[in-house]
Amino acid sequence: MANIVREIKEIGSHAVDIYDFLLAGMDKRVTQYPLMHNPFPMSAILIGYLFFVLYLGPSIMAKRKAFQLKEAMIAYNLMLVALSVFIVYEFLMSGWATTYTWRCDPVDTSDSPEALRMVRVAWLFWFSKIIELMDTVFFVLRKKHGQITFLHIFHHSFMPWTWWWGICLAPGGMGSFHAMVNSTVHIIMYFYYGLSAAGPRFQKFLWWKKYMTAIQLTQFVLISLHATQYYFMDSCNYQFPTILTLIWIYGTFFFFLFSNFWFQAYVKGKRLPKQDVKSCQNGTAVYTNDKHLENNNSATNGSARHENGSAHTGKMKKA
């Protein structure tokens, strides 16, 4: 027992040493931004998020009707489209379209306007991940429990936590490539969600839902390939190769998770309602998360009216 206690103390001591080492290596230019002094506020937000979406939210909504939230969702999604456009522009102007080579690009640790601009957009990208936690909150309030998958929750909680450490240590350089690509994808993704939330009249513009996952998969391929090139360079002065390794692992891991989603949803058809599976097999599917529920409601109402009409006709015949 004494040996076990001693080992636990040693592990705890090593963990504290690693934590102190990481904090000592933090980029001082980042600490002036909100939630960046230490990881505890950020961790508390993510723990609260998990508690709400996994337990508190479903418990509150169990005996309540689902909220519609149409106007709020349209505004939210369009706001994220605008924010993502701004983030991509700032990444480009901070180096990717000006001084970066798109190969070996170290972090600029100076206080030049361009370097400080990169620090700012790196933080803004991280903060956008905190805002995007509302995705799941909307699912809970609208009782879309089928959308709250392991992939969704893991992506929304793991990404902000890891990126916090990323911008604390390396705000910029070749490690920021995946942030710029991710923001580009989010322009398309949240534009789709905004149209979807607008209602049935926009259904004809949503034929490309299936390709959203393909766009996500392309994103992870680009991220992994960009990180991989570091290991084939004769020399590269990027200061944080460990971060590139983590980015490569991240891109590859999520590629397989999203590939499984693609296979389950569009090959096996498990995530589509029956009528949409048949349409998809015929190559004519138009499916959205919001629209399919409306279609089902309309079909139910239509069937009820048809049954009522048939019953009424039968009574007339008997009369």
Side-chain angles (χ1 to χ4, degrees), residues 93-110:
M93 294 299 102
S94 300
W96 287 102
T98 54
T99 58
Y100 281 21
T101 64
W102 294 67
R103 298 193 73 242
C104 177
D105 296 300
V107 178
D108 185 350
T109 57
S110 71

Side-chain angles (χ1 to χ4, degrees), residues 12-247:
S13 176
H14 289 312
V16 171
D17 291 339
I18 293 172
Y19 174 75
D20 291 338
F21 172 77
L22 291 173
L23 287 186
M26 284 179 60
D27 193 308
K28 304 306 180 186
R29 299 171 300 173
V30 179
T31 56
Q32 62 180 312
Y33 290 96
L35 304 174
M36 299 307 300
H37 287 86
N38 62 66
F40 297 113
M42 170 269 299
S43 298
I45 291 172
L46 296 177
I47 291 172
Y49 160 78
L50 291 173
F51 177 71
F52 177 82
V53 301
L54 295 176
Y55 176 74
L56 182 61
S59 298
I60 293 174
M61 295 301 298
K63 296 182 180 180
R64 289 178 169 83
K65 292 183 179 180
F67 291 98
Q68 296 302 314
L69 304 176
K70 178 179 177 180
E71 290 77 12
M73 288 181 60
I74 294 173
Y76 167 77
N77 287 304
L78 294 181
M79 180 272 291
L80 282 176
V81 170
L83 179 60
S84 298
V85 169
F86 179 75
I87 289 173
V88 172
Y89 175 78
E90 287 296 297
F91 270 124
L92 291 171
M93 294 299 102
S94 300
W96 287 102
T98 54
T99 58
Y100 281 21
T101 64
W102 294 67
R103 298 193 73 242
C104 177
D105 296 300
V107 178
D108 185 350
T109 57
S110 71
D111 289 328
S112 68
E114 190 174 67
L116 294 177
R117 191 173 185 178
M118 176 62 79
V119 172
R120 183 185 66 181
V121 70
W123 175 83
L124 187 59
F125 173 78
W126 172 78
F127 190 71
S128 72
K129 300 300 142 190
I130 300 299
I131 297 174
E132 288 167 14
L133 297 179
M134 286 299 299
D135 289 2
T136 324
V137 174
F138 280 126
F139 284 149
V140 171
L141 296 179
R142 297 169 63 227
K143 303 183 79 167
K144 300 281 188 178
H145 304 302
Q147 304 298 327
I148 308 175
T149 61
F150 166 78
L151 173 60
H152 176 89
I153 293 176
F154 183 78
H155 180 70
H156 276 67
S157 56
F158 183 74
M159 178 71 174
W161 196 86
T162 54
W163 183 250
W164 188 92
W165 292 101
I167 64 169
C168 280
L169 300 172
M174 61 188 300
S176 64
F177 174 78
H178 78 287
M180 183 176 64
V181 173
N182 183 252
S183 296
T184 303
V185 170
H186 279 201
I187 295 172
I188 304 171
M189 187 177 74
Y190 283 104
F191 179 69
Y192 170 86
Y193 291 155
L195 287 179
S196 178
R201 58 181 173 172
F202 289 92
Q203 181 184 12
K204 60 183 178 181
F205 301 111
L206 301 176
W207 53 268
W208 43 283
K209 177 186 188 297
K210 179 178 180 178
Y211 301 101
M212 288 302 305
T213 306
I215 293 171
Q216 293 274 26
L217 291 171
T218 303
Q219 164 191 207
F220 298 127
V221 170
L222 291 175
I223 289 170
S224 296
L225 288 176
H226 183 265
T228 300
Q229 67 176 336
Y230 172 83
Y231 302 101
F232 294 93
M233 295 178 186
D234 294 332
S235 63
C236 180
N237 57 346
Y238 180 72
Q239 303 95 318
F240 303 94
T242 302
I243 289 180
L244 290 181
T245 301
L246 292 174
I247 290 172

Side-chain angles (χ1 to χ4, degrees), residues 257-272:
L257 283 180
F258 275 79
S259 295
N260 179 64
F261 172 84
W262 173 280
F263 179 76
Q264 297 295 332
Y266 300 111
V267 177
K268 300 183 72 174
K270 287 186 176 181
R271 292 179 59 84
L272 300 178

